[in-house]
Amino acid sequence: MKLLNAAGFLILMPTLMLALDPLSTSIFMGGAAVAWQLLSPYSWLKCSFLECCNMKDTLNFSVLKMDLEQKVFGQHLAVQTVLRALSTNVYSKRPKKPLVMSFHGWTGTGKSFVSSIIAENLYQLHIPRRRFVHHFSTVLHFPHASHVHLYKERLQNWIRGNVSACPRSLFIFSEMDQMPHGLIDSIMPFLGYREEIDGVYYGKAIFLFLNNAGGDKITEIALDHWRRQKRREEIPLKELQSLMSEEIFSNLNSGFFRSQLIQKNLIDYFIPFLPLEYKHVRECVREELRSQGHLEDEDLMTEIALAMTDYPSEERLYSSKGCKTVASRVTLST
């Protein structure tokens, strides 16, 4: 209706303009152009100032690649897989199914950080569109196992409504290892190979699951490679992905315990986040010093990284907390 009214208004413009002087005519025309842009559902002007969502993706892949490679330390497998997965989905005109990725690893290894980088790059041109990023915290949003049926209904309605509003919606589920069993299966219909469900197309949506589950197994494999004097870069991705799938499916402490999402192969990528070594923690300290406005302090970087590299107790090769407490340690030490 707004567009019809605007169209009628523009048809009358030549008649109205005859009664205006040149300056007034210019102002009138400029105002009409702005009005037309604001009334148009997917105009560049409206998307610059108001919240809107269109099917044109804003992801600058080269910027995303640079952000991941320069800001994420020690996670070559995760970075490579995420870039490959996003390029396949985002540059497909009409993906056959939503992109579903599950991040696995110890706390502080970069799972949340990578998901935030994806969100920032996916919506970088139109900041208001950040509202199409939906973050679910198990502890905050699904705290009571006895309310699973209620959570299932709310979650389905939330996803259905938001994908209807914006096909390129991003859903991030953190603390998956604490999610009540069976809850995540409620979104299974939205993740499959379907053209549409009740008139809604889900193929451009992206789902990220963040898990600590599987982290011990990933660390075990990484440590075994190190003890056999193999380079970190030689750890086989396929071996890790297969083990992660089996681990979280049979793990009682996993939100994917006996999940149909795994049984029906609806998770496209199981992405391992390797345990961080001394050199990686040191880089985290360096970056935190910069972000807090301090000069680089080599002695402090060494001190904090050495203190955090604590696993296993004999070799002290990895940080059991990753870079999780780096910010607070830097603050206390400067």
Side-chain angles (χ1 to χ4, degrees):
M1 182 61 70
K2 288 181 179 179
L3 290 178
L4 288 175
N5 292 338
F9 177 72
L10 291 175
I11 290 173
L12 294 174
M13 281 177 58
T15 303
L16 295 172
M17 287 168 55
L18 292 175
L20 300 175
D21 60 79
L23 178 59
S24 299
T25 299
S26 298
I27 296 173
F28 181 85
M29 288 294 291
V34 170
W36 175 261
Q37 279 287 330
L38 291 176
L39 289 171
S40 178
Y42 300 133
S43 74
W44 64 268
L45 184 59
K46 182 177 180 180
C47 288
S48 296
F49 294 100
L50 306 176
E51 293 179 342
C52 70
C53 176
N54 58 38
M55 293 295 287
K56 183 179 179 181
D57 291 305
T58 63
L59 180 65
N60 185 325
F61 192 75
S62 61
V63 173
L64 171 64
K65 184 174 185 293
M66 183 174 64
D67 279 352
L68 289 173
E69 291 179 345
Q70 293 184 358
K71 298 177 181 178
V72 181
F73 307 119
Q75 302 300 350
H76 65 285
L77 291 176
V79 168
Q80 292 168 6
T81 309
V82 166
L83 288 173
R84 183 169 64 251
L86 283 171
S87 64
T88 301
N89 178 271
V90 170
Y91 293 129
S92 173
K93 290 183 178 180
R94 193 172 177 86
K96 295 181 179 179
K97 71 180 292 295
L99 173 59
V100 184
M101 295 187 283
S102 188
F103 295 173
H104 299 266
W106 273 357
T107 183
T109 51
K111 301 182 297 296
S112 295
F113 187 43
V114 169
S115 67
S116 67
I117 290 176
I118 292 172
E120 289 169 5
N121 279 273
L122 191 60
Y123 300 102
Q124 63 178 344
L125 295 185
H126 304 306
I127 292 180
R129 290 181 63 196
R130 297 276 177 84
R131 80 178 185 94
F132 300 111
V133 178
H134 312 280
H135 184 199
F136 298 95
S137 165
T138 296
V139 174
L140 179 63
H141 296 103
F142 316 116
H144 306 295
S146 59
H147 296 170
V148 167
H149 291 296
L150 175 62
Y151 296 153
K152 285 182 177 181
E153 182 180 353
R154 287 179 177 176
L155 188 54
Q156 286 182 336
N157 290 337
W158 184 262
I159 292 175
R160 185 184 299 111
N162 282 284
V163 175
S164 298
C166 179
R168 177 61 80 196
S169 288
L170 174 63
F171 300 93
I172 303 171
F173 294 82
S174 62
E175 300 143 353
M176 278 298 299
D177 45 305
Q178 300 181 52
M179 180 168 283
H181 294 165
L183 174 56
I184 202 62
D185 283 351
S186 66
I187 71 172
M188 183 180 65
F190 308 129
L191 306 186
Y193 292 86
R194 302 189 183 188
E195 185 64 23
E196 290 182 353
I197 301 176
D198 296 329
V200 180
Y201 169 62
Y202 292 87
K204 280 188 168 287
I206 299 174
F207 293 81
L208 305 180
F209 302 116
L210 315 186
N211 306 260
N212 290 337
D216 289 344
K217 185 66 67 175
I218 294 169
T219 300
E220 180 184 319
I221 293 173
L223 185 58
D224 178 65
H225 267 67
W226 179 81
R227 285 172 173 164
R228 288 190 285 145
Q229 298 184 337
K230 290 191 174 183
R231 295 171 61 248
R232 184 184 182 92
E233 289 73 21
E234 295 176 6
I235 298 175
L237 177 61
K238 288 186 178 180
E239 178 184 344
L240 285 174
Q241 289 178 324
S242 177
L243 286 171
M244 281 186 289
S245 174
E246 296 171 6
E247 171 78 10
I248 64 173
F249 182 75
S250 59
N251 188 344
L252 271 170
N253 296 320
S254 165
F256 288 117
F257 177 66
R258 296 186 178 177
S259 171
Q260 294 185 60
L261 271 62
I262 296 177
Q263 284 183 318
K264 297 184 180 297
N265 300 310
L266 295 179
I267 299 178
D268 302 303
Y269 300 91
F270 293 93
I271 301 180
F273 282 71
L274 301 172
L276 298 183
E277 300 175 4
Y278 164 81
K279 61 183 179 182
H280 306 127
V281 178
R282 205 170 187 279
E283 289 304 311
C284 288
V285 178
R286 185 196 307 276
E287 193 61 34
E288 187 60 33
L289 283 168
R290 289 174 181 169
S291 68
Q292 292 191 21
H294 303 299
L295 296 175
E296 291 187 12
D297 185 330
E298 296 292 333
D299 291 337
L300 181 60
M301 288 159 54
T302 299
E303 177 187 337
I304 293 177
L306 282 174
M308 293 184 65
T309 308
D310 57 358
Y311 184 88
S313 57
E314 293 183 3
E315 291 96 335
R316 297 178 66 88
L317 179 64
Y318 304 124
S319 169
S320 60
K321 296 183 178 64
C323 286
K324 194 79 171 181
T325 61
V326 163
S328 60
R329 286 173 180 262
V330 168
T331 300
L332 289 172
S333 302
T334 52

